[in-house]
Every structure is written in structure tokens, then in C-alpha cells.
Amino acid sequence: MSNSAPLDPIVVSESPEEKFREFLEIRGEKLTEPRRILIRHIFDSHKHFDADELVADLREAGRRVSRSTVYRTLRLLVEAGLLRELRLTNRSAYEHDYGYPSHDHLHCTECNTIVEFRNEEIQKLREAISQEHGFRSSGHRFVISGVCPTCSRARSPRRRLDLI
Amino acid sequence: MSNSAPLDPIVVSESPEEKFREFLEIRGEKLTEPRRILIRHIFDSHKHFDADELVADLREAGRRVSRSTVYRTLRLLVEAGLLRELRLTNRSAYEHDYGYPSHDHLHCTECNTIVEFRNEEIQKLREAISQEHGFRSSGHRFVISGVCPTCSRARSPRRRLDLI
DNA sequence: ATTTTTGCAAACCATTTGCAGCTGG
DNA sequence: CCAGCTGCAAATGGTTTGCAAAAAT
């Protein structure tokens, strides 16, 4: 799995862990060992993941955190504004929010890959449309679904051979 | 529940039922009584609904179709291009696709209401962005989340009273 | 007559929760 | 110490599925 982010990270003064501790402190909650393991692991690499992959990933790295705690912590991290949740399939996917610029997604329906992109227009559209309808908007999701270049190339030629 | 569509319907030559029958025929499948009940009921009024509401609605109208058949038929209707599925919460919502113009959504996170809007810019953006990334796009979802005017009015004044 | 569909109940599967014991501050 | 947390196992809740009886062509 890749460690590189497709978009340049935003410069932030606090580490994700510090920001999480602060969030928990305000609510009178605690930064425990399992939570520390999770936030470090999650922000160690930049990628999209779901709860199951996270559990498997941690197990592989020799760090055991129970599935329940993973789910509970993911919810906290979303509430804290550190992660964003994407509901593209039956299982939720997560991505970094904190320290990462706002962006939208291309979703390949063949291989399930998620590609990020940044487009200034979308923010403006969101604002204009919200205002038009009297909404106080708090966020948006713009997902373009289709077939990525890799899957396009992989499938079209195979089709040809089938016809021979 | 309202029967009126927020956007003007598209003129189509076939009824949803005809289109469904055609779709089934191609696959060697059958337009049965439960399926007829469902498609008529669904296209009788224009609104967003989920599987549960549909079952309840049918029961109220004295038409019994089993939950399994409802789920199975909803899937068919999506495959047939008659309905679109929206995954905004833990349960899928459905809306008319056939005979209805393409549009996007404002989602109120307070009352869960879905408001439709139409904006030409979005199609253009989708095309431009897809091309830029070599995607063959097949669709998109643009959902603006926030608080609708009704919920805004209902909440803000209450807050004030609480402070007195 | 044969293939598909239905309804029921059971299975599924991602996610949540109750609880007894553990832990952080 | 004591509120909050963990892990386990059990529960939940939306959705799917196996199967025997029923319906469609």
C-alpha cells in the first residue's frame, strides 16, 4: 500500500494525535493506548481504508486492537474532524480530513479504486446552490463513478479477443 | 405524501411498466403480479422512499408484497434504470430515474429530508474532470449536506429560549 | 411442462452494545 | 480512586438467500 498522498498535505501546527487528545480532553475522555495505536497507524500512511482493512492491517503489524474499539474509535475520529467517512459501497470507507485539502472523488466501479481530485468550482457551486435553497450547508460529496483508465485498458482488449 | 414532483418530468414514450416488462423480457424473466403492484405503486407518486417505507405503504394500501420480493424488485428496478439508489444513511433510499431529469440533492442532516435541484454546471464539471483523469464516467452523485430552512427556523429560536 | 418467482424463515454481515474487568489521570 | 475504556460475545438491523409451493409462458 502506498504512503504517498495524491494531493499535497496542508500545513498544520498540531499532529493528528495532539488534535485528538485535545478533542477528547474537552469531552472529558481519555487518550488510551488502543486509541494512540489507531491514530498513529491511520495517519502513518495516506490511503482510503475500511474498518476491516484497518483491523487486518493492525494485526499484520502485530498490534491487536479489538474490532469494537476500532469501530468506536473511527466514529470518534470522524466526530473530531480527523477522518471523513465515505459511503460508496455497503461498508464505510475512511480518509484523512485533518491536514488534508478538501477534495472530491472519482470512483471506479470495476476495481473499486477511489481517485481524489481538487476543483475550485465545486465549492462555489455548493455555496450558490445552498443559498438558493435556504440551506446552511455543512459539507458536500461529489462522486463521479465510472471506469478508471487501467480497467478500461484491461477490459476493452480482452473483449476483442473474445470475439475471435 | 405528496404526488407532485419538484422538477418537471421528462416526456417518455413508454410507461415505466412497459419499460420494465421489456427489460425483463430481454433477460428471459417475467412481469409478475407482485412486480406489477410494485412498479405501479412506486411510479404513482414521485417521492424518495426506502424499502421499509415501501412495505408499510403497500400494506396500508391493502397490497401485500413480501419484504423479500420488495428488496428483489428494487434491485431489478435499479438495474433496469428505472430507479436510482441513494446511500445517504444506513438504509438505501430510492427515487425515480426513468422519465425524470438528472439532478442532484440537498440532504438535511436534521430531518433527513432530500431536496432535489438541477444545475447545468455540474454535468460540465463531471465531463471535464473525468476526461482529465482518463475516466469513462457513467454517472455522478453530488450531495450537499446541511440544515434545511425548516430545521434552521425550528432550532435557532429554541436555543434562544433555552438561554433565558 | 418447465422455468422463474414468491413468501417464509433463516442466514448474512457490517456495525453496535451490554457487561465485567482493566486503565488512565 | 473512579469515570471512562477495552475486549468479548451477543445483539441489532438492513438486506440477502435457500427452499418448497405457486405462477407465468
Side-chain angles (χ1 to χ4, degrees):
Chain A
M1 288 154 183
S2 152
N3 239 35
S4 62
L7 307 177
D8 288 331
I10 288 172
V11 178
V12 284
S13 49
E14 290 181 304
S15 70
E17 188 174 331
E18 281 164 354
K19 179 148 168 143
F20 192 29
R21 194 190 36 66
E22 210 171 73
F23 167 82
L24 291 168
E25 202 167 63
I26 289 165
R27 317 208 320 181
E29 299 176 358
K30 297 164 183 171
L31 182 53
T32 60
E33 192 53 21
R35 288 177 181 174
R36 239 190 300 267
I37 290 171
L38 283 167
I39 195 157
R40 283 179 187 171
H41 183 90
I42 288 168
F43 280 88
D44 223 44
S45 69
H46 185 88
K47 63 188 177 203
H48 297 87
F49 62 92
D50 63 34
D52 228 50
E53 288 165 355
L54 182 52
V55 171
D57 235 43
L58 286 164
R59 187 153 308 170
E60 204 175 314
R63 315 213 140 288
R64 279 172 271 85
V65 178
S66 76
R67 192 168 295 270
S68 338
T69 297
V70 166
Y71 275 108
R72 284 188 278 234
T73 306
L74 284 174
R75 199 192 327 183
L76 286 175
L77 291 172
V78 170
E79 284 176 44
L82 287 155
L83 291 182
R84 286 210 300 163
E85 188 179 1
L86 302 171
R87 299 166 172 273
L88 301 179
T89 68
N90 60 326
R91 53 218 298 166
S92 287
Y94 298 87
E95 64 174 9
H96 297 179
D97 189 358
Y98 182 65
Y100 203 67
S102 85
H103 60 274
D104 291 283
H105 302 94
L106 287 149
H107 178 213
C108 177
T109 52
E110 297 283 332
C111 65
N112 229 31
T113 292
I114 298 168
V115 174
E116 301 173 350
F117 68 85
R118 218 154 137 52
N119 185 298
E120 305 296 338
E121 283 307 306
I122 294 163
Q123 305 287 343
K124 292 179 200 158
L125 271 176
R126 163 181 151 189
E127 261 327 296
I129 293 161
S130 300
Q131 200 167 331
E132 208 173 297
H133 290 265
F135 264 65
R136 291 190 290 114
S137 81
S138 55
H140 76 265
R141 287 294 143 86
F142 185 31
V143 180
I144 299 174
S145 33
V147 182
C148 72
T150 307
C151 290
S152 275
R153 275 194 290 273
R155 273 173 61 100
S156 310
R158 194 180 306 144
R159 280 279 166 77
R160 285 198 167 188
L161 291 172
D162 287 345
L163 294 173
I164 298 173
Chain B
M1 289 154 185
S2 154
N3 240 35
S4 62
L7 307 177
D8 288 331
I10 288 172
V11 177
V12 283
S13 49
E14 291 181 303
S15 71
E17 188 174 331
E18 281 163 354
K19 179 148 169 144
F20 192 30
R21 193 189 37 65
E22 210 171 75
F23 167 83
L24 291 168
E25 202 166 62
I26 289 166
R27 317 208 322 181
E29 299 176 358
K30 298 162 182 173
L31 181 53
T32 60
E33 191 53 20
R35 288 175 180 173
R36 240 189 300 270
I37 290 172
L38 283 167
I39 195 159
R40 283 178 186 170
H41 183 92
I42 288 169
F43 280 87
D44 223 44
S45 68
H46 185 88
K47 64 187 175 204
H48 297 87
F49 62 92
D50 62 35
D52 227 50
E53 287 165 356
L54 182 52
V55 171
D57 235 43
L58 285 164
R59 185 153 309 169
E60 203 174 315
R63 315 212 141 288
R64 280 171 269 86
V65 178
S66 77
R67 191 170 293 272
S68 339
T69 298
V70 166
Y71 275 108
R72 284 188 278 234
T73 307
L74 284 174
R75 200 196 325 191
L76 286 174
L77 292 171
V78 170
E79 285 176 45
L82 287 155
L83 292 182
R84 287 210 300 162
E85 188 179 2
L86 303 171
R87 299 165 174 272
L88 303 179
T89 67
N90 59 324
R91 54 218 298 167
S92 287
Y94 297 86
E95 65 173 9
H96 297 179
D97 189 358
Y98 182 65
Y100 202 68
S102 84
H103 60 274
D104 291 283
H105 302 95
L106 287 149
H107 177 215
C108 176
T109 52
E110 297 283 331
C111 65
N112 231 28
T113 292
I114 298 167
V115 174
E116 301 173 351
F117 67 86
R118 217 154 138 52
N119 185 298
E120 305 296 338
E121 284 306 307
I122 294 164
Q123 305 287 343
K124 291 179 200 159
L125 271 177
R126 163 180 151 189
E127 262 328 296
I129 293 161
S130 300
Q131 200 166 331
E132 207 172 300
H133 290 266
F135 263 66
R136 291 191 290 115
S137 82
S138 55
H140 76 266
R141 288 294 145 86
F142 185 33
V143 180
I144 299 174
S145 33
V147 183
C148 73
T150 308
C151 289
S152 274
R153 275 194 290 274
R155 274 172 60 98
S156 311
R158 196 180 304 143
R159 281 281 164 77
R160 284 198 170 191
L161 291 171
D162 287 345
L163 294 174
I164 296 173

